Amino acid sequence: MSPTVTAIVTPDAPSKLVSLSSEPESGDGVGLNTAWAQIVQSVTNRAGRGSLTITVDLEPGESAQEFSTRLRLLILVMNRDEGSVSATVSPSFRDDTYPAMLALVKALEGSGAGDDWHPVGPRSIRMGKAKHLFVSVDIPVADRSASPDTLIEIVAAHRIGASWYDQRVFPRTSATGLTTVMFGVPNNPRSEYADSIFKRERTKNLSGRTGGIHFSRQLNWPATAVV
């Protein structure tokens, strides 16, 4: 297996790249556990900090389904007493949103929390005071719930246009301590993805913006940037 390379973009290290050893596969490919640790830390320690945007490179055809299901389940369980609102945004209801909802339901049932959760409306799940929303670009559903305050996850972000994101999602990302995670395939040759939100936000993270972190497995980074 090839080593995982993680590019960490912070105010103190605007283009720092850290080479890490490969990690065991868990259904999501190699290396996503590295991103998992950072994302979990950010959603559990959000008090008093600004918003954080994390971009994660995936290989073509790679799925983060298991990774995302574990993350959604963790947030619901962790915040069921104190309350939180998190959301998953996907390009396709059939290909992305529906499978994601089914996976979360199965995970809730398998965790022994079958009596602790219930659906709220057509595309949201609540456990105690914690709520997770599912949003589809192609088949939107009006939702008058509170804006996410913990996590917004963008699945297949390379298939979501930046203009759509700016109109429909960005206005709801102003919460202090909110973590936005975008999974996508970089350098996708299909022209309709040229203006994707993933390409734009990935570029900003790699440029060293404040509150940005990027994870990548690419090995062709400039030698001067590798530590």
Side-chain angles (χ1 to χ4, degrees):
M1 298 181 183
S2 300
T4 299
V5 172
T6 305
I8 304 179
V9 183
T10 67
D12 297 326
S15 59
K16 182 180 179 183
L17 305 180
V18 182
S19 180
L20 303 175
S21 300
S22 298
E23 299 173 355
E25 294 192 21
S26 61
D28 295 319
V30 180
L32 286 181
N33 286 338
T34 306
W36 167 268
Q38 175 62 63
I39 295 168
V40 171
Q41 179 182 2
S42 67
V43 299
T44 55
N45 298 287
R46 64 185 190 273
R49 68 162 174 79
S51 61
L52 181 67
T53 300
I54 300 174
T55 48
V56 183
D57 285 353
L58 298 179
E59 299 291 343
E62 182 180 9
S63 172
Q65 179 77 281
E66 180 183 337
F67 178 103
S68 295
T69 300
R70 288 188 290 127
L71 181 61
R72 296 163 196 150
L73 179 61
L74 172 66
I75 291 174
L76 286 173
V77 172
M78 180 177 65
N79 296 313
R80 59 184 172 183
D81 293 328
E82 297 182 359
S84 69
V85 180
S86 52
T88 296
V89 179
S90 306
S92 168
F93 175 79
R94 184 190 67 180
D95 297 335
D96 306 302
T97 304
Y98 186 64
M101 290 191 296
L102 285 182
L104 180 55
V105 168
K106 290 180 180 179
L108 287 164
E109 295 292 340
S111 70
D115 296 331
D116 296 335
W117 71 274
H118 60 277
V120 181
R123 297 188 199 171
S124 61
I125 289 176
R126 179 180 291 278
M127 173 180 282
K129 296 180 180 179
K131 185 177 182 181
H132 191 87
L133 316 173
F134 290 92
V135 179
S136 302
V137 174
D138 62 343
I139 307 179
V141 171
D143 194 313
R144 301 180 183 277
S145 66
S147 295
D149 58 12
T150 305
L151 173 77
I152 295 181
E153 174 195 32
I154 316 295
V155 175
H158 62 285
R159 292 162 46 203
I160 297 178
S163 59
W164 182 91
Y165 177 88
D166 290 343
Q167 294 174 11
R168 302 297 295 271
V169 180
F170 183 74
R172 305 185 72 176
T173 63
S174 60
T176 300
L178 179 69
T179 298
T180 300
V181 180
M182 299 187 184
F183 296 97
V185 178
N187 305 319
N188 194 297
R190 297 178 62 176
S191 60
E192 63 265 37
Y193 301 155
D195 63 345
S196 73
I197 186 59
F198 184 71
K199 180 179 180 179
R200 189 183 76 186
E201 299 304 302
R202 180 181 188 270
T203 299
K204 288 182 179 180
N205 279 355
L206 289 174
S207 296
R209 70 163 163 192
T210 301
I213 302 176
H214 179 69
F215 291 91
S216 175
R217 298 190 190 91
Q218 296 183 17
L219 300 180
N220 59 344
W221 300 109
T224 55
V226 178
V227 297

